[in-house]
Structure formats: C-alpha cells, structure tokens
Amino acid sequence: MTLGREDVQRIANLARLDLTPAEAERYTEQLNRMVDFCDQLQQLDVPPSTEWREPQASPEAEDRDAPCLPRRQVLHNAPQHHAGLLTVPAFKSVPKSQTAPAHPQDSE
C-alpha cells in the first residue's frame, strides 16, 4: 500500500491542519516508510503462541504533588515558542455545519 499526497492532504484536513507543500511531501514520505515497515512486519512467519500467560498487574503510581519544570527549560526544549508560550501549527477553522457533534446526546 502506498499513500499519495492526496491521502496525506485528506488526513491533514481531517486533523484540521494546514500543510505547506513541503510538509505534505515530507509527511507523505514518512507515512509511506511507516506503512512499508508495517507491511514487512505482516510478512514475518511467526508461529502462534500456545502458552497462555496471565497479564501481570501494574501497580498504580501514587498521586503526589511535584514541582513543574521551569518555564525556561520547557521553552528551551520546545521546537517553537513566542513571548514565553509554546507555539503549535495553526488549525483550520471548519464551519459549524461541517462538524459532527462530539457526543451523540449533543445532536438531540
């Protein structure tokens, strides 16, 4: 299976992201590498497991207050920031008539 730029653009539209042509090209290449890897995994000849193991319980970590990272450290590690805040790619605005209700009861 190979994804084209149209597929990536459709995915970006679903995620309400505006992609530049360069980003669309880069994401198309990256997604195709992931799909190729999944195809390789599906071709592996792995015998079915005959041994059943009970899942091990994961102990839950105790909730506790802890100090936050200093803002300077967070911004230093951020790919983009402005005026002391993190910046993220802009979302496309979608007319209300084209959005599905978040919860079924919202449509009643």
Side-chain angles (χ1 to χ4, degrees):
M1 176 177 154
T2 302
L3 297 172
R5 282 185 72 173
E6 302 81 26
D7 299 313
V8 171
Q9 192 60 52
R10 196 170 319 120
I11 294 167
N13 286 337
L14 289 171
R16 298 182 183 162
L17 295 174
D18 273 327
L19 298 181
T20 66
E23 289 172 326
E25 185 66 33
R26 184 173 75 234
Y27 294 149
T28 300
E29 292 171 11
Q30 291 175 350
L31 284 170
N32 277 312
R33 284 197 306 264
M34 286 186 257
V35 169
D36 289 344
F37 183 71
C38 290
D39 288 342
Q40 290 175 21
L41 291 176
Q42 288 182 339
Q43 293 173 11
L44 291 176
D45 184 23
V46 179
S49 175
T50 57
E51 182 180 329
W52 170 257
R53 292 185 181 167
E54 286 292 324
Q56 294 180 341
S58 301
E60 292 185 17
E62 180 183 331
D63 287 337
R64 62 176 185 251
D65 288 334
C68 295
L69 288 174
R71 181 181 298 257
R72 181 177 291 136
Q73 185 179 354
V74 171
L75 295 177
H76 175 74
N77 292 324
Q80 296 178 333
H81 58 88
H82 176 73
L85 301 172
L86 301 174
T87 57
V88 297
F91 288 89
K92 284 185 178 181
S93 63
V94 177
K96 185 103 171 134
S97 62
Q98 295 180 7
T99 60
H103 301 286
Q105 66 269 19
D106 293 344
S107 62
E108 296 173 357

